[in-house]
Amino acid sequence: MRNASKYGPVCLVEPIPHLFKQLEKLHEPSKKMILLNKCINPLATEFVEFYAPNPEANRIHPSGDQLGSLHADHAKNHDIRLESSIQKIKVRALTLTQLIEALQCRDINLLFLDTEGFDSEILPTFPFDKLKPQAILFEHKHSDGTHNIGAKFANLIIQLNMNGYRVQCIDRENCLATLK
């Protein structure tokens, strides 16, 4: 991320408080590095219920602390032992449109999402009529539920194609959409 800020401002959004504190330690907030302790949500609302792993979740599963989600059972569906490590928290929320407006963003080189199952719900709400990122990196692995892709993923690909993007799966979890 530090290298990315050489090319322009970078905004990192993290809803889980202890992970947000780690971001603050790694990246000094500035005009080039904006850190937000919020949750991106497909619908406009002030707060959302978010299912956050505690700091000890990595003792149970190697990426346990990375499995926070708006889906209550997401982490548990990865590893049932994580159930006791997940707490429901209330987090301030904003939509992609609200984020773009708050940042007064006029250009996006790369939009990178990894929202543990919500990428296929959040990306369709992007204001493509006002702004088109040059590239969009997003997770497809959980688009229709934990470890499942289906109709939501297919509809997202159709929408991205209609907005002028070429979409390719770059690995077992992620897709890259680039403007044609």
Side-chain angles (χ1 to χ4, degrees), residues 50 86 104 106 108 120 122 131 134-135 151 154 163:
F50 191 85
I86 304 301
Q104 298 178 350
R106 302 291 173 249
I108 297 176
S120 62
I122 292 170
L131 181 65
Q134 293 299 307
N163 277 290

Side-chain angles (χ1 to χ4, degrees), residues 129-146:
D129 58 329
K130 295 178 181 144
L131 181 65
K132 289 195 179 183
Q134 293 299 307
I136 303 169
L137 182 62
F138 64 96
E139 183 181 48
H140 66 75
K141 183 178 182 179
H142 311 296
S143 60
D144 289 79
T146 309

Side-chain angles (χ1 to χ4, degrees), residues 31-153:
K31 288 186 178 187
K32 288 278 195 171
M33 184 65 70
I34 301 157
L35 306 176
L36 297 174
N37 185 203
K38 296 185 178 185
C39 178
I40 301 297
N41 194 54
L43 303 173
T45 183
E46 189 174 353
F47 290 94
V48 292
E49 290 181 346
F50 191 85
Y51 299 89
N54 64 34
E56 289 76 39
N58 282 357
R59 292 184 186 151
I60 296 168
H61 189 278
S63 57
D65 69 344
Q66 301 298 307
L67 299 174
S69 179
L70 289 162
H71 291 296
D73 294 331
H74 185 71
K76 183 178 80 170
N77 289 342
H78 277 78
D79 188 328
I80 191 69
R81 299 172 301 157
L82 286 169
E83 186 170 26
S84 63
S85 297
I86 304 301
Q87 57 188 1
K88 182 168 60 171
I89 61 174
K90 195 174 189 178
V91 180
R92 287 199 173 278
L94 62 152
T95 64
L96 282 174
T97 299
Q98 290 170 328
L99 175 63
I100 289 165
E101 288 172 358
L103 297 174
Q104 298 178 350
C105 186
R106 302 291 173 249
D107 186 36
I108 297 176
N109 186 34
L110 174 65
L111 175 63
F112 177 17
L113 285 89
D114 184 353
T115 61
E116 295 302 316
F118 262 77
D119 297 35
S120 62
E121 294 182 43
I122 292 170
L123 264 177
T125 69
F126 191 89
F128 289 107
D129 58 329
K130 295 178 181 144
L131 181 65
K132 289 195 179 183
Q134 293 299 307
I136 303 169
L137 182 62
F138 64 96
E139 183 181 48
H140 66 75
K141 183 178 182 179
H142 311 296
S143 60
D144 289 79
T146 309
H147 303 294
N148 188 41
I149 59 173
K152 288 180 188 176
F153 176 65

